[in-house]
Amino acid sequence: MNFDFSEEQIMLRETVRSFVDKEIIPFIGEWDSKGIFEPSIMKRLAELGLMGVCIPEAYGGSGMDYNALAIVCEELERGDTAYRTAVSVHTGLNSLTLLQWGTEEQKQKYLTPQAKGIKVGAFGLTEPGAGSDVAALNTTAVKDGDDYILNGQKTWISLCDVADHFLVFAYTDKSKKHHGISAFIVERTMPGFSSKAIKNKHGIRAGNTGEIFFDQVRVPKENLLGQEGEGFKIAMSALDNGRFTVAAGACGLIMASLEESVKYCHERKTFGKEIGRHQLVQQMIAKMEAGLQMSRLLVYRVGELKNKGVRNTRETSLAKWQACDFANKAADDAVQIHGAYGYSDEYPVARFLRNSKAPVIYEGTREIHTIMQAEYVLGYRQDKPLSKMLPSWPFAVDNNLVEK
């Protein structure tokens, strides 16, 4: 058991932290207040090789391990949840799913440009009437010759107006319930596709989130991901990757809350001494530190399981649940430490609190993860082997693959 980061991982953290300090933190207050998603950030992330940090070099990625993705997400969320979310969706939910389930042709056509950051990927599962209850989705895909015709809509889709490629889940046979859901790669340029942003969100205001619509969208059969009826399994495996990045990001939000609170504790004085000298303030600081350290252990444990090629649904669920709860509490305590100033946008902690709520809800609510963990312990839930797994790390070198 080795808890040390490699030199490459340490350098990666320093690179992302420096990027966040220079290119996100000075501007995020304005972007957040105006609801601006700044696209230049995605371009800079691509230039740094961070859009495909854990994708094999054969597909245009940086070839680092899965915990490298956790480091990127942790440091990005220290700046703001919006840009961690962008990487979570692009890399965690979309690109890693293509790596796991895609054909060689699909990987070359879609994964490679995404790993390079030339194209942006997104994920379309949630619908107005289907969130935790995935089987309630209404989007359909009807076979028509060599194509599928998609009709329906998705909501709360991150990067809805930004992404080029979407992984979309639809019923090909509703009579089979979960077993009748299939997954498709949909391009923004396909006729009948449209998107619309959701404005005035409570948090993550600097993020692009909204709805996508399919009106007789014709998708080639070559864009079916996996087999017909495998969509539910593909979606759940994608969520394992997404939840991993969300949990890692939560560590970054705890870190940001802690840094701002420590700074304020030394600046602000009451009753003749720094507020950090007051024991109940120290209690909040201590809880933040404990939450950060425990969350990191859960997150990086999941990354190591991924590196070994071991299924990690149970461990990822626990990390996502606990880290997001710790982050929500840390942000709340950060506001409390700042007092009345914490309730305004004069300090960033108000934004931290607003942003911290969404991850407690999406990619499995805390209630869903609570039930999952209890069912694992009680023996009611067991994870069956998947027909395809993410490749273990270090990635094997295939000389037959030529990067395009």
Side-chain angles (χ1 to χ4, degrees), residues 275-333:
I275 63 170
R277 295 290 185 181
H278 299 301
Q279 289 185 346
L280 291 181
V281 173
Q282 290 181 353
Q283 183 183 57
M284 288 185 278
I285 294 292
K287 287 181 178 179
M288 288 186 206
E289 175 67 10
L292 175 60
Q293 298 303 329
M294 287 188 278
S295 297
R296 276 179 168 166
L297 288 172
L298 291 172
V299 168
Y300 290 110
R301 178 192 178 205
V302 171
E304 281 304 302
L305 291 175
K306 287 183 175 295
N307 286 341
K308 295 176 182 177
V310 177
R311 185 165 182 184
N312 49 80
T313 302
R314 179 176 182 172
E315 293 82 3
T316 302
S317 166
L318 183 61
K320 193 271 182 186
W321 169 33
Q322 290 299 298
C324 291
D325 264 8
F326 277 129
N328 187 221
K329 179 59 177 171
D332 187 49
D333 282 342

Side-chain angles (χ1 to χ4, degrees), residues 311 313-314 372 375-385:
R311 185 165 182 184
T313 302
R314 179 176 182 172
M372 286 177 65
E375 289 184 343
Y376 278 124
V377 174
L378 290 165
Y380 301 151
R381 175 185 289 263
Q382 292 183 337
D383 294 323
K384 298 177 182 178

Side-chain angles (χ1 to χ4, degrees), residues 77 81 84 204 246 320 324 355-362 364:
E77 185 139 356
T81 310
R84 188 276 305 157
I204 320 184
V246 171
K320 193 271 182 186
C324 291
N355 287 353
S356 72
K357 187 59 183 177
V360 177
I361 298 170
Y362 60 50

Side-chain angles (χ1 to χ4, degrees), residues 51-52 54-61 90-91 94-121 165 167 185 390-391 401 404:
M51 296 290 278
C54 61
I55 302 298
E57 293 180 73
Y59 297 115
H90 170 85
T91 305
N94 189 306
S95 294
L96 286 181
T97 306
L98 290 177
L99 179 64
Q100 183 172 352
W101 295 91
T103 64
E104 186 58 34
E105 292 73 22
Q106 289 170 342
K107 291 174 186 177
Q108 293 293 348
K109 184 176 181 179
Y110 294 107
L111 177 59
T112 298
Q114 287 181 190
K116 293 178 178 180
I118 298 171
K119 298 290 185 179
V120 174
H165 310 147
L167 290 187
I185 304 168
L390 280 173
L401 294 179
K404 296 182 180 179

Side-chain angles (χ1 to χ4, degrees), residues 108-295:
Q108 293 293 348
K109 184 176 181 179
Y110 294 107
L111 177 59
T112 298
Q114 287 181 190
K116 293 178 178 180
I118 298 171
K119 298 290 185 179
V120 174
F123 187 80
L125 178 62
T126 301
E127 298 187 2
S132 299
D133 182 8
V134 175
L137 63 84
N138 287 314
T139 299
T140 59
V142 178
K143 193 75 178 292
D144 181 38
D146 289 337
D147 301 323
Y148 289 87
I149 308 299
L150 265 64
N151 283 285
Q153 75 177 93
K154 303 290 180 178
T155 192
W156 298 112
I157 306 304
S158 296
L159 304 177
C160 67
D161 294 328
V162 177
D164 303 286
H165 310 147
F166 297 80
L167 290 187
V168 176
F169 298 85
Y171 269 115
T172 45
D173 186 347
K174 200 156 189 176
S175 67
K176 295 181 180 179
K177 297 184 178 180
H178 290 84
H179 300 292
I181 298 172
S182 301
F184 300 89
I185 304 168
V186 177
E187 299 177 23
R188 174 178 295 280
T189 55
M190 290 176 173
F193 177 95
S194 61
S195 64
K196 180 183 178 182
I198 295 172
K199 301 295 185 180
N200 301 315
K201 303 188 301 291
H202 174 67
I204 320 184
R205 294 174 180 172
N208 173 237
T209 310
E211 299 173 289
I212 55 177
F213 305 89
F214 315 101
D215 182 8
Q216 296 291 110
V217 177
R218 186 171 289 272
V219 181
K221 65 179 182 181
E222 292 79 15
N223 284 35
L224 174 69
L225 187 64
Q227 303 298 316
E228 274 198 17
E230 281 192 315
F232 182 77
K233 291 191 295 183
I234 293 172
M236 294 303 104
S237 67
L239 288 174
D240 282 348
N241 300 325
R243 289 164 177 169
F244 169 58
T245 64
V246 171
C251 295
L253 197 144
I254 300 170
M255 185 163 52
S257 299
L258 187 56
E259 288 176 3
E260 289 296 327
S261 296
V262 167
K263 180 182 177 183
Y264 191 74
C265 280
H266 291 310
E267 293 174 350
R268 177 72 168 173
K269 293 183 178 180
T270 61
F271 304 102
K273 57 184 177 182
E274 294 182 353
I275 63 170
R277 295 290 185 181
H278 299 301
Q279 289 185 346
L280 291 181
V281 173
Q282 290 181 353
Q283 183 183 57
M284 288 185 278
I285 294 292
K287 287 181 178 179
M288 288 186 206
E289 175 67 10
L292 175 60
Q293 298 303 329
M294 287 188 278
S295 297

